[in-house]
Amino acid sequence: DGFWNYVVTHCDFNSTDSKDITFIRSYYYNKLEIVRFDSSVGRYVGYTELGVKNAEAWNSGPEVVQMRNEKKRYCVNNVGNDYRSAVTKS
């Protein structure tokens, strides 16, 4: 019994080319996605009333710039290893 608040960060990719890589960070509350940053959109998008308010605030602050840089740091620099591993095992 209680409340669940968690964040899921992942990279979607089908090659090692940076244009084929998407960085996504989703924020959940009680199993419901409330807000998401998607690098293909380039900003936060809210899915609930609270998420919309957070997205508006984060899109007008330094948070959005930091998230835009996360694609390179979190995904582009690491996808090569994951991609090579997946291709050699298939």
Side-chain angles (χ1 to χ4, degrees), residues 8-84:
V8 176
T9 302
H10 68 277
C11 306
D12 289 342
F13 61 95
N14 58 16
S15 82
T16 58
D17 190 337
S18 65
K19 70 177 174 31
D20 294 330
I21 300 170
T22 304
F23 169 81
I24 298 172
R25 180 165 291 162
S26 299
Y27 298 80
Y28 292 86
Y29 182 74
N30 282 349
K31 300 180 183 179
L32 178 65
E33 186 175 21
I34 60 172
V35 66
R36 171 190 294 187
F37 179 86
D38 183 331
S39 66
S40 64
V41 177
R43 63 185 181 86
Y44 288 94
V45 176
Y47 298 108
T48 65
E49 184 178 344
L50 175 62
V52 169
K53 289 179 183 179
N54 284 333
E56 289 172 356
W58 294 344
N59 285 329
S60 62
E63 294 87 351
V64 74
V65 175
Q66 179 183 350
M67 284 297 107
R68 289 177 184 154
N69 293 329
E70 286 294 285
K71 175 182 173 179
K72 181 177 182 193
R73 186 192 71 77
Y74 189 82
C75 295
V76 174
N77 289 335
N78 297 303
V79 159
N81 294 331
D82 296 335
Y83 186 79
R84 282 188 294 280

